[in-house]
Amino acid sequence: MLFDYWDVIKGFFNWVAESAAIMMILSGIMAITWLGYERKRRGSFLKRKAEVEKFDITKFLRGLSYIGLILGIFVVWSGAVSLILNIPPSFQYRDVTKNAANHFTSIFLIVIGITMFFKPISDLPLSSILGLLAGTVTIFIIALLVPDGVVQLIGGFINPKWILVIIFIIVTVIVGLMAKFSIGTLQKVSKFLSWPPIALIIMIFCFIQGFALWIWGVSIFGLNIL
């Protein structure tokens, strides 16, 4: 039974990798939710900053935004695997144009997928969460791997609990700072791409490119960029 489930999961991810055109269309649908979410949050189609005190987004739009977190993982997978394994974005593209990946589509999916992933969590202290998680995992591993004899030896000089506390703080701070820098950059990119005018452009492009690849087997960009 376990192997049957594994075959289903593997088959699904293989399908995702072979369906870059469909992932483009789904990305366009997600961009529509950005339009509604961000327009309501910012109080205007063109406004760059949100009026937080007046912000009251509907549960429906918020729920769709969080669905994008999961969809973003699949979109990144589709873009990355199709690029690495040189998989065409659709069967029609394979038959009409070329039995190879469309590099522009693959790279675009990676970028837009990362945007989807960070969009719902842009307001969470993710760097702090990752730092705490890393510190906790480190302490847990140390507690499992360090022999009791070493703990007793160290206990003759200093309480082992204080060493664990120090290690926890160091790991948490280092990982948190590293994550804050990298995640902060990605979140800024995510906020820019979800700005309603940019989201509108992304939506139109995703639909045109997605349907062109899926139905007609052609790309609106005639040549690969790589």
Side-chain angles (χ1 to χ4, degrees):
M1 182 65 68
L2 180 62
F3 290 104
D4 292 338
Y5 286 131
W6 171 247
D7 289 339
V8 171
I9 295 173
K10 185 170 66 173
F12 172 75
F13 277 95
N14 287 338
W15 174 83
V16 171
E18 297 171 351
S19 305
I22 296 177
M23 293 299 111
M24 286 289 294
I25 296 172
L26 293 177
S27 298
I29 295 174
M30 185 54 56
I32 295 177
T33 69
W34 294 346
L35 284 173
Y37 184 97
E38 290 298 330
R39 184 180 180 280
K40 189 172 182 65
R41 188 174 76 92
R42 299 168 191 260
S44 171
F45 184 78
L46 296 175
K47 189 175 295 184
R48 296 301 302 271
K49 294 184 179 180
E51 297 179 359
V52 180
E53 66 277 5
K54 298 180 181 179
F55 177 50
D56 183 23
I57 196 68
T58 64
K59 292 182 179 180
F60 177 72
L61 286 176
R62 186 183 294 275
L64 288 178
S65 180
Y66 276 90
I67 290 175
L69 190 151
I70 300 175
L71 179 61
I73 297 175
F74 297 144
V75 171
V76 171
W77 175 267
S78 179
V81 175
S82 63
L83 186 63
I84 295 172
L85 300 182
N86 203 28
I87 301 174
S90 69
F91 297 125
Q92 188 72 1
Y93 182 88
R94 178 198 62 191
D95 297 337
V96 173
T97 302
K98 188 178 182 182
N99 187 18
N102 180 267
H103 295 149
F104 182 87
T105 298
S106 298
I107 294 173
F108 180 86
L109 286 175
I110 295 173
V111 174
I112 203 67
I114 292 174
T115 301
M116 288 183 198
F117 183 82
F118 282 97
K119 177 73 177 69
I121 56 179
S122 60
D123 297 326
L124 295 179
L126 189 58
S127 58
S128 299
I129 294 174
L130 290 176
L132 290 171
L133 181 61
T136 302
V137 171
T138 301
I139 296 304
F140 179 75
I141 293 176
I142 291 175
L144 288 178
L145 297 181
V146 175
D148 293 337
V150 175
V151 174
Q152 294 175 359
L153 179 63
I154 296 175
F157 302 93
I158 185 175
N159 191 327
K161 293 182 179 180
W162 284 110
I163 296 179
L164 293 178
V165 170
I166 294 172
I167 294 175
F168 174 81
I169 293 175
I170 292 175
V171 172
T172 300
V173 171
I174 292 177
V175 174
L177 290 175
M178 294 175 62
K180 185 175 183 179
F181 176 76
S182 56
I183 291 174
T185 302
L186 292 173
Q187 287 178 342
K188 289 179 181 178
V189 173
S190 176
K191 288 181 180 180
F192 172 75
L193 293 180
S194 62
W195 181 39
I198 303 299
L200 178 61
I201 296 173
I202 292 175
M203 178 197 71
I204 295 173
F205 169 76
C206 285
F207 282 140
I208 294 176
Q209 177 75 346
F211 282 112
L213 293 169
W214 190 22
I215 298 176
W216 295 288
V218 296
S219 172
I220 60 177
F221 289 86
L223 298 175
N224 279 339
I225 63 174
L226 297 178

